Amino acid sequence: MTFEAEPDLRMKPVERENLQQQSYLALREALMKGRFMPGDTVSLRNLASELGTSPMPIREAVQHLIAEGALVLRPNRTFAVADMTQDILGEIQSLRVLLEGTVTEAAVPFLGMGELKHLHALQAQMRAALANGDTKGYLTTNQNFHFSIYARSNQHLTVQIIENLWLRIGPSFNLLVRGQRASQRDEASIASLTHYHEATLTAIAAGRPADARRAIENDIREGMQFISESLPELTGSAARGDGKPAGAKAGQRGARPASMGQDSR
């Protein structure tokens, strides 16, 4: 099954107050949810149009994200999503397993029936998105599932660190459901994307924090392994370094969002 990005992945316009902060948060959220692919060129003009603001607050937000390592300034003065390497991927995996496992275990005693019902609903949404080839729906709901658990851990500093890791790995999550290797997944392989979520829910319902931790850790390891094995698919666009989006033109199957233009001004 081939998963295609939805044609409309636009961010919501920001309000006029504190435009720089709102623009930063909108871009940060988009990166975490896999709106962009590693190596994609980021157009300030298109992003400004999308968010309903001038390029200035977008430029300031982009500079903030460059400082955080999520975006880079290329030698030709264009802005782009940071490339992913096997070394960085391995480091992120180690940190995610440690930190996300820790906060999951801490969260279990504070997850009641209401939270569990919400998590089951998110699990059902993820499965529906996968069945429909809805890349955006899957990536968005997957993030919501994880952070709905982490938010109940009362470990706010650790959760902030985890958010920064997702800011860096978010674009690479696309490889779970897009690209040549992902298109070769059979039904069992697709179902495995939510298998450990089900084990996590079972452990939460039974009040077994250690089991919930192990399920989340296994979920991370399996997903990151698939990304690692798919990483060579990004080599073409990253190595090209010409600021042009790879893949089909806008409007065609497999096209990237319109904001991936060459104009970084």
Side-chain angles (χ1 to χ4, degrees):
M1 176 180 289
T2 301
F3 292 86
E4 306 291 351
E6 288 189 353
D8 185 8
L9 296 178
R10 296 183 178 275
M11 295 172 281
K12 296 179 181 179
V14 297
E15 297 179 1
R16 295 299 176 186
E17 297 181 4
N18 200 3
L19 290 177
Q20 188 274 330
Q21 179 67 8
Q22 292 184 54
S23 299
Y24 164 73
L25 292 175
L27 285 170
R28 180 183 174 89
E29 188 74 5
L31 286 160
M32 290 176 67
K33 290 185 185 307
R35 158 69 191 274
F36 305 97
M37 291 281 285
D40 274 339
T41 298
V42 177
S43 166
L44 301 188
R45 183 175 296 172
N46 290 345
L47 289 175
S49 175
E50 211 174 299
L51 292 172
T53 184
S54 69
M56 183 58 69
I58 300 297
R59 183 177 293 275
E60 293 171 351
V62 165
Q63 293 293 346
H64 194 165
L65 290 164
I66 288 174
E68 293 183 318
L71 300 178
V72 296
L73 176 62
R74 288 175 172 155
N76 62 1
R77 308 303 295 174
T78 60
F79 298 107
V81 180
D83 290 323
M84 181 56 63
T85 67
Q86 292 289 357
D87 287 343
I88 294 173
L89 195 68
E91 187 174 354
I92 291 175
Q93 175 176 326
S94 297
L95 289 169
R96 287 192 64 207
V97 168
L98 174 63
L99 299 178
E100 294 181 44
T102 297
V103 296
T104 297
E105 187 169 14
V108 171
F110 302 102
L111 291 167
M113 292 303 298
E115 289 87 357
L116 192 58
K117 182 178 180 179
H118 174 63
L119 291 168
H120 275 290
L122 291 174
Q123 173 79 332
Q125 291 171 30
M126 269 184 284
R127 287 180 168 174
L130 288 169
N132 294 325
D134 178 3
T135 300
K136 177 187 175 184
Y138 166 72
L139 293 175
T140 297
T141 311
N142 179 62
Q143 186 209 32
N144 291 342
F145 180 91
H146 280 262
F147 283 92
S148 292
I149 295 173
Y150 305 160
R152 300 297 294 167
S153 68
N154 296 318
Q155 297 191 10
H156 306 296
L157 181 58
T158 306
V159 173
Q160 287 180 347
I161 296 172
I162 293 169
E163 288 176 351
N164 288 335
L165 293 173
W166 278 60
L167 178 64
R168 191 66 175 84
I169 190 63
S172 297
F173 282 149
N174 280 283
L175 292 173
L176 293 171
V177 287
R178 293 176 62 187
Q180 182 177 358
R181 190 162 184 271
S183 69
Q184 297 171 353
R185 284 183 180 270
D186 56 20
E187 291 186 7
S189 179
I190 293 170
S192 72
L193 287 169
T194 59
H195 171 74
Y196 287 113
H197 289 174
E198 198 65 44
T200 302
L201 293 173
T202 299
I204 292 171
R208 299 197 300 266
D211 288 350
R213 174 177 187 149
R214 279 191 291 272
I216 285 293
E217 290 174 345
N218 288 333
D219 178 60
I220 294 168
R221 291 190 183 100
E222 183 172 285
M224 296 291 277
Q225 178 63 32
F226 191 92
I227 292 172
S228 176
E229 294 169 358
S230 304
L231 205 57
E233 294 182 21
L234 298 176
T235 302
S237 59
R240 194 172 59 235
D242 56 6
K244 297 179 181 178
K249 296 180 180 179
Q252 295 179 341
R253 291 177 60 83
R256 294 168 186 246
S259 291
M260 309 292 183
Q262 298 181 52
D263 177 19
S264 66
R265 293 174 293 175

